[in-house]
Amino acid sequence: QVQLVESGGGLVQAGGSLRLSCAASGRTFNSNAMGWFRQAPGKERECVASISGSGDSAYLADSVKGRFTISRDNAKNTVYLQMNSLKPEDTAVYYCATGSPFVSGYSGMYRYWGQGTQVTVSS
């Protein structure tokens, strides 16, 4: 089993920054991709970013390119999502996930999920 715990969410004004962290414990899979997804009220869950097990390749959704960065520290079993220039439309619950063998924006590829952390961006 893998446990994922997200942290770093909160309330921020538009234009501000937040850094989300996701710590993995249990049977960790440093060879697996990790992803960040988000779900806003009344909307479907969408992939924001994904990073390969080695960290040498990544995917970013068009809506966050140039503003968000995904990275990972395998020594710490942690993946990060640096979010800059935040917009009100970034408001959502953000989830990290792992278990996919490769970078993917498809939620069905990920076996393990965290509980989520709320990000609220005020205008």
Side-chain angles (χ1 to χ4, degrees):
Q1 286 288 348
V2 176
Q3 294 81 43
L4 301 174
V5 178
E6 302 98 335
S7 62
L11 173 64
V12 65
Q13 289 187 333
S17 298
L18 284 174
R19 188 175 83 154
L20 304 183
S21 300
C22 174
S25 61
R27 184 182 177 186
T28 58
F29 295 94
N30 288 342
S31 60
N32 283 14
M34 296 190 76
W36 284 100
F37 291 75
R38 67 185 181 187
Q39 187 165 21
K43 295 188 177 181
E44 293 186 354
R45 187 171 297 188
E46 64 172 347
C47 183
V48 176
S50 176
I51 188 167
S52 64
S54 63
D56 61 358
S57 64
Y59 160 83
L60 284 170
D62 288 343
S63 59
V64 305
K65 281 181 180 177
R67 301 188 298 121
F68 291 12
T69 303
I70 187 171
S71 62
R72 65 189 295 164
D73 183 341
N74 285 344
K76 296 181 179 180
N77 293 326
T78 301
V79 63
Y80 304 97
L81 185 68
Q82 178 66 45
M83 305 186 295
N84 299 327
S85 302
L86 282 161
K87 304 176 181 180
E89 50 263 45
D90 294 317
T91 295
V93 177
Y94 283 71
Y95 300 89
C96 71
T98 192
S100 173
F102 47 80
V103 172
S104 175
Y106 175 50
S107 61
M109 292 297 299
Y110 296 85
R111 182 176 180 183
Y112 302 101
W113 292 80
Q115 292 299 307
T117 185
Q118 176 70 46
V119 171
T120 303
V121 184
S122 63
S123 57

